[in-house]
Amino acid sequence: MSEERVNYPFAKFLDQHSPQLNASAVPPELWHSLYKKLSDQTFDAGDHFQIICEMSDNDEKHFFVRALEDMHNNDEENIFLVDHFFSFPDGSARKYVESTDGLTERLAVLFGIDKDTCEADDTVEKFETSNEQEEKEHADRSCGDIGNLPRHESVDARLGSYSLDDPNEQLTDRVMKELWKYTQSYTVSYPLENGEFDKRSVWYVMDNFGARIRHSSLPNARVIPLMFVPQNCFYSIMFLTKPVETDEEIVRDFAANVHTHQHPEWRKYFETPWVQQDFSGESLIPTPPTVEYFTSGRNEDHLASDTDQITSHSALFSSIPLLKKRKIKVFADDTQLTEHLTKDIEYVDDWKKSDVIWMIKHFHDYGDLAAENPCGMINQFPYESCITVKDLLASCAMRNPSKNNWYQLTYNLTTELPQFVACFQQREKKGQHNVWIVKPWNMARGLDMNVTDDLNHIIRLVETGPKIVCEYISRPLLFPRPDNGNKVKFDLRYIVFVNSLQPVTAYVYNKFWIRFAIK
């Protein structure tokens, strides 16, 4: 037994990794072999597989992996480590490719887009990015003192790597176009200052072996990411899902995700990056949202009865003379917005005993409010999420696209992916503007936003969480900043007080804010 395994027993490996292995459905009979290979840093795929390069009639290179022997998926040794060649956070792919010396050329070789005859190289170079350093720092914070095992670079250089001399100025564009056929993703959690945790998606390209495994809807292998806790870093692991014969190609299913499980009929759209099809003749009209869409997975707002609303309205106006004679009682779940209110203010711990309820969290029990605190005023109104949450606002705005001339064309990729793909391909054929901004509807501060004209890129982004995609305003009104010379976007922030919905009665505070971007 190696010294590494003596210091890091199998029981500890199971304690730290069984949740990941179970969640990824790795067969338990393979766990001990995986433990040995991770602990000993055994990269032995080259002993069992071979990378083949085929040249097409137009001199394009096509790589694939084949088995060198008959292999069975139940053989406990048939699980293999795959190193990560390059990783980057959401929205930063081009930045990392362009800012890392030599990465464009190496990725071009890996993707087989060079047209010159390439010579074999002895080494497999791994590019470290600042994102990987962040992963290590995150793991240090999360895992504590668990002991470290040495991490060695992949020794599967015998599988082959190549050098490239391509002076094409558009090489980066070609690399970025191919990138989304090869990337995979995982999610890391990191602590916030308030003690809560946030999540971020990380994309990665595997090494020369992993990147050569092609897509098939009838796979015989699976490849999944795994964080190896002692080293605070990620690997991928490949294992067979059925027996293979000598010279049989090893293939995996890139399109296997939660969406194809929920919507099997969508598989053909998710396979677009690897299997080109024309969907431009299909319907591109977004599906009108159902009531279930607005309520599914969300806390429903409970309204007061008409009688209780009338009673509350009357009680509120009757109480105004009393409020003027005493301090106003305020309940707030966060004092950031109210901490400077000191005159005639008294804070209470129970919203049922307050005059003003000021909440950052969504409030849903309007029926209880009317019944138990009829004079209470709250800084929210029922179903306001239809205006304040991105996907619901888009669904309301796009309810009748033919009458919409004020809201950018928007699709919810969780429910309208087929219509978006048809729309994109139809616009592409017509040469129309086809740049889109992809946003997670459940995040803020510009996190995880991408702007792209690449359909493959957009389809792959669906894998990292719910997204909406909007036609990008490529010529926005910009403000020239004299302090740094940049022309920047800006927005206007108003405070609006709504005190009646039927009829709608609202007041706008006569001071508003203009917020300017920096870059």
Side-chain angles (χ1 to χ4, degrees):
M1 180 181 293
S2 67
E3 181 180 350
E4 287 82 2
R5 278 187 275 150
V6 170
N7 296 327
Y8 184 64
F10 183 51
K12 192 166 188 177
F13 172 81
L14 291 180
D15 181 60
Q16 294 175 341
H17 299 89
S18 56
Q20 292 186 72
L21 297 172
N22 280 318
S24 300
V26 180
E29 57 268 23
L30 303 178
W31 292 7
H32 193 267
S33 180
L34 174 63
Y35 154 73
K36 292 190 296 182
K37 291 185 179 183
L38 282 167
S39 300
D40 298 343
Q41 292 289 275
T42 302
F43 292 84
D44 60 343
D47 296 334
H48 305 273
F49 306 99
Q50 183 181 36
I51 295 175
I52 302 297
C53 178
E54 291 183 341
M55 302 292 292
S56 64
D57 294 339
N58 56 357
D59 292 334
E60 290 184 352
K61 293 180 179 178
H62 299 283
F63 295 90
F64 64 94
V65 173
R66 72 174 183 182
L68 292 175
E69 58 193 358
D70 292 351
M71 304 177 69
H72 200 284
N73 55 300
N74 290 333
D75 186 337
E76 63 180 18
E77 296 297 323
N78 287 341
I79 186 167
F80 305 93
L81 299 187
V82 184
D83 210 349
H84 290 180
F85 170 67
F86 163 61
S87 61
F88 55 92
D90 259 339
S92 303
R94 192 176 191 98
K95 169 188 172 183
Y96 278 87
V97 170
E98 291 180 334
S99 63
T100 306
D101 291 340
L103 182 54
T104 300
E105 291 77 11
R106 295 290 303 217
L107 287 173
V109 170
L110 191 66
F111 299 162
I113 60 176
D114 58 306
K115 295 186 178 181
D116 298 326
T117 302
C118 300
E119 299 178 356
D121 193 353
D122 298 357
T123 61
V124 173
E125 181 180 356
K126 180 174 181 296
F127 284 88
E128 294 284 344
T129 66
S130 61
N131 184 64
E132 291 177 292
Q133 183 62 32
E134 291 176 17
E135 290 177 23
K136 295 173 184 177
E137 293 174 356
H138 153 73
D140 289 340
R141 292 194 300 268
S142 303
C143 302
D145 183 12
I146 55 176
N148 290 306
L149 295 180
R151 181 183 186 186
H152 309 292
E153 300 304 333
S154 168
V155 296
D156 275 340
R158 62 198 144 186
L159 290 166
S161 64
Y162 305 88
S163 60
L164 172 71
D165 182 16
D166 187 346
N168 191 340
E169 294 181 357
Q170 297 181 339
L171 183 60
T172 300
D173 291 336
R174 296 166 61 196
V175 166
M176 296 306 300
K177 196 71 176 176
E178 291 293 311
L179 179 66
W180 300 102
K181 298 179 182 179
Y182 293 87
T183 51
Q184 296 288 266
S185 67
Y186 55 82
T187 301
V188 294
S189 297
Y190 56 95
L192 302 176
E193 292 181 356
N194 60 7
E196 296 182 355
F197 281 81
D198 207 345
K199 294 182 179 181
R200 184 178 67 179
S201 297
V202 177
W203 292 89
Y204 63 93
V205 176
M206 290 182 289
D207 66 13
N208 197 42
F209 169 62
R212 305 305 190 192
I213 302 175
R214 295 196 293 193
H215 165 73
S216 173
S217 59
L218 300 173
N220 53 24
R222 288 187 64 215
V223 182
I224 61 169
L226 178 81
M227 180 181 180
F228 187 40
V229 173
Q231 293 179 343
N232 300 331
C233 68
F234 276 83
Y235 294 91
S236 287
I237 56 177
M238 189 275 277
F239 56 93
L240 301 178
T241 57
K242 60 179 66 173
V244 298
E245 298 178 351
T246 303
D247 293 334
E248 183 177 346
E249 181 178 359
I250 304 301
V251 289
R252 54 174 300 192
D253 184 2
F254 275 90
N257 56 52
V258 64
H259 301 286
T260 52
H261 177 73
Q262 294 174 345
H263 302 280
E265 70 278 10
W266 285 14
R267 166 171 283 276
K268 57 184 179 181
Y269 305 103
F270 278 104
E271 288 186 318
T272 297
W274 308 278
V275 184
Q276 293 296 315
Q277 299 184 64
D278 184 1
F279 303 107
S280 60
E282 297 185 2
S283 172
L284 48 81
I285 304 299
T287 306
T290 62
V291 173
E292 288 73 19
Y293 171 75
F294 287 92
T295 58
S296 177
R298 310 174 195 269
N299 292 319
E300 185 177 356
D301 287 352
H302 300 286
L303 303 184
S305 66
D306 292 343
T307 301
D308 285 345
Q309 291 187 48
I310 294 173
T311 301
S312 296
H313 190 269
S314 176
L316 175 60
F317 279 91
S318 299
S319 68
I320 291 178
L322 298 176
L323 292 177
K324 293 180 178 180
K325 297 178 181 180
R326 63 171 175 82
K327 290 184 176 181
I328 297 177
K329 298 179 180 181
V330 176
F331 170 84
D333 61 355
D334 191 308
T335 59
Q336 181 180 3
L337 296 176
T338 58
E339 59 186 359
H340 298 296
L341 301 177
T342 56
K343 185 178 180 181
D344 298 328
I345 295 294
E346 175 187 351
Y347 289 103
V348 297
D349 296 329
D350 187 351
W351 63 264
K352 298 176 183 179
K353 299 178 181 179
S354 64
D355 302 309
V356 173
I357 304 169
W358 194 278
M359 297 184 64
I360 292 178
K361 296 181 179 179
H362 285 292
F363 186 84
H364 302 283
D365 298 319
Y366 295 95
D368 289 346
L369 176 63
E372 302 190 41
N373 187 2
C375 297
M377 293 180 286
I378 188 168
N379 66 323
Q380 299 179 29
F381 56 87
Y383 302 114
E384 71 169 26
S385 57
C386 291
I387 295 178
T388 61
V389 180
K390 297 183 186 75
D391 66 324
L392 298 185
L393 173 62
S395 294
C396 292
M398 301 300 297
R399 186 182 297 273
N400 189 342
S402 63
K403 295 183 179 180
N404 172 29
N405 60 0
W406 59 275
Y407 196 83
Q408 290 299 103
L409 180 61
T410 304
Y411 290 89
N412 186 327
L413 297 180
T414 304
T415 58
E416 299 168 342
L417 178 68
Q419 291 83 2
F420 169 71
V421 173
C423 175
F424 185 99
Q425 291 185 341
Q426 187 177 112
R427 292 165 70 102
E428 189 174 48
K429 281 187 174 182
K430 294 180 178 180
Q432 295 176 329
H433 178 262
N434 223 10
V435 180
W436 302 80
I437 181 168
V438 188
K439 312 175 187 180
W441 62 258
N442 56 348
M443 298 179 72
R445 307 190 308 278
L447 295 175
D448 194 14
M449 285 192 181
N450 292 265
V451 178
T452 180
D453 62 353
D454 186 343
L455 179 60
N456 292 345
H457 184 185
I458 296 172
I459 290 175
R460 295 302 307 279
L461 288 174
V462 180
E463 299 173 20
T464 61
K467 302 287 192 303
I468 61 171
V469 57
C470 310
E471 183 183 7
Y472 188 65
I473 302 175
S474 56
R475 296 189 62 215
L477 178 63
L478 301 177
F479 178 86
R481 287 187 66 125
D483 57 337
N484 59 22
N486 290 330
K487 292 183 178 181
V488 299
K489 294 182 179 181
F490 62 93
D491 63 36
L492 308 179
R493 175 164 290 195
Y494 293 89
I495 290 181
V496 180
F497 297 88
V498 180
N499 75 336
S500 175
L501 295 178
Q502 291 182 343
V504 175
T505 307
Y507 301 86
V508 181
Y509 186 39
N510 60 10
K511 292 184 179 180
F512 63 93
W513 291 261
I514 307 175
R515 303 191 308 165
F516 297 98
I518 298 175
K519 298 181 180 180

